[in-house]
């Protein structure tokens, strides 16, 4: 299957700082990328859908000004958690898909801890 | 709106036992895709299977088998002769054909296989 990478795999930061997470599709062009958040012992919750070259579509309850998503190329999407607080600590997972596939390919996830 | 229900929160079995994980879904689309993923403690999602709504044929892959029944909107997953390495959280997910790639996940079932 297609390969999706995420960087960093884990990050610890102080409250109030901003954190950027990268999601890359390594061997295919991803027209659509998804960002999920997973709290401990919970399911994956979709945060937003991003299409290359256009604004992301956020799910209800997700603050677009806090979670900035940029999908500037067909192989890269970034999620920036602005002014992170301890309640933003979570496991963030991206996935990528394209019109040729009827499925999404998941990255390995980024574990964010905000102190 | 689509919904996935995994009624079993936790299951514990002894090695070599067979175990079935239940998944019930709701969707209005006639074209959709069902998935099962394994999430070990590392957090990375491992893709197990994809099934589209027009293919009700059951599938077997080694010790894994899947039973898809549209009449009951279920897509159950059975592990035969379970092993300790099967211990993980298993997620069932649904993707509607009108929005390929965007998935709704069930709450997951935590499977513990004891030696």
């Amino acid at each position: 299957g297609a390969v999706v990478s995420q960087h960093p795999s884990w990050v610890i930061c102080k409250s109030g700082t901003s954190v950027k997470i990268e999601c890359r599709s390594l061997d295919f062009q991803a027209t659509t990328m998804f960002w999920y958040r997973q709290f401990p012992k919970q399911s994956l919750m979709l945060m937003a859908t991003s299409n290359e070259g256009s604004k992301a579509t956020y799910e209800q309850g997700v603050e677009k000004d806090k979670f900035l998503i940029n999908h500037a190329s067909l192989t890269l999407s970034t999620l920036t958690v602005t002014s992170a607080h301890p309640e933003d600590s979570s496991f963030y997972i991206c996935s990528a898909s394209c019109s040729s596939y009827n499925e999404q390919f998941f990255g390995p996830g980024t574990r964010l801890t905000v102190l | 709106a689509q919904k996935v229900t995994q009624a079993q929160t936790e299951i514990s079995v002894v090695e070599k036992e067979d175990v079935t994980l239940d998944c019930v879904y709701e969707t209005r689309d006639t074209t959709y895709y069902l998935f099962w993923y394994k999430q070990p403690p590392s957090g990375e999602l491992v893709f197990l299977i994809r099934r589209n709504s027009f293919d009700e044929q059951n599938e077997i892959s080694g010790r894994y088998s899947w039973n898809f029944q549209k009449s009951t909107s279920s897509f159950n997953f059975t592990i035969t002769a379970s092993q300790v390495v099967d211990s993980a959280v298993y997620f069932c997910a649904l993707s509607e054909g009108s929005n390929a790639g965007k998935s709704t996940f069930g709450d997951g079932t935590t499977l513990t296989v004891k030696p």
Side-chain angles (χ1 to χ4, degrees):
Chain A
V3 180
V4 176
S5 70
Q6 274 184 249
H7 178 81
S9 56
W10 59 270
V11 56
I12 301 173
C13 68
K14 292 183 179 180
S15 185
T17 60
S18 294
V19 176
K20 179 185 283 189
I21 303 170
E22 292 185 350
C23 177
R24 293 181 185 272
S25 56
L26 299 184
D27 51 4
F28 71 103
Q29 293 187 322
T31 49
T32 305
M33 287 187 170
F34 304 90
W35 286 95
Y36 293 84
R37 179 168 53 183
Q38 184 182 29
F39 291 110
K41 297 191 184 299
Q42 294 188 24
S43 186
L44 282 74
M45 298 301 296
L46 181 66
M47 299 175 67
T49 303
S50 75
N51 293 297
E52 185 264 339
S54 60
K55 289 184 178 180
T57 302
Y58 290 81
E59 296 298 303
Q60 195 171 8
V62 178
E63 301 172 57
K64 59 181 67 176
D65 294 332
K66 181 167 184 63
F67 299 99
L68 303 179
I69 293 172
N70 183 283
H71 191 167
S73 77
L74 286 172
T75 59
L76 173 65
S77 176
T78 60
L79 166 67
T80 301
V81 184
T82 61
S83 186
H85 288 91
E87 57 266 29
D88 298 322
S89 298
S90 187
F91 192 52
Y92 292 87
I93 306 173
C94 76
S95 70
S97 73
C98 69
S99 56
S100 301
Y101 304 124
N102 289 316
E103 65 179 287
Q104 53 187 312
F105 301 95
F106 286 88
T110 297
R111 199 164 298 279
L112 170 64
T113 301
V114 185
L115 302 176
Chain B
Q2 52 189 19
K3 184 179 178 182
V4 176
T5 301
Q6 294 180 255
Q8 304 148 309
T9 306
E10 296 182 6
I11 299 177
S12 181
V13 299
V14 177
E15 206 169 20
K16 296 185 183 177
E17 285 185 18
D18 297 347
V19 58
T20 295
L21 310 182
D22 298 333
C23 173
V24 174
Y25 63 92
E26 295 176 30
T27 178
R28 292 183 205 165
D29 272 19
T30 55
T31 302
Y32 52 89
Y33 301 87
L34 295 163
F35 305 85
W36 274 97
Y37 296 93
K38 175 182 180 180
Q39 188 178 43
S42 65
E44 183 165 0
L45 284 175
V46 177
F47 168 82
L48 297 178
I49 190 172
R50 181 187 75 174
R51 175 65 77 231
N52 74 54
S53 53
F54 299 108
D55 182 4
E56 283 194 75
Q57 194 170 7
N58 292 330
E59 182 159 336
I60 298 175
S61 176
R63 296 183 297 107
Y64 296 168
S65 62
W66 291 269
N67 184 341
F68 177 27
Q69 294 200 349
K70 289 179 74 171
S71 60
T72 56
S73 297
S74 65
F75 187 43
N76 296 338
F77 171 34
T78 297
I79 302 175
T80 303
S82 60
Q83 301 176 1
V84 173
V85 293
D86 294 328
S87 298
V89 181
Y90 290 86
F91 290 99
C92 179
L94 166 69
S95 174
E96 291 178 334
S98 57
N99 198 350
K102 178 179 177 180
S103 292
T104 297
F105 283 77
D107 289 339
T109 297
T110 300
L111 173 64
T112 302
V113 181
K114 300 177 181 177

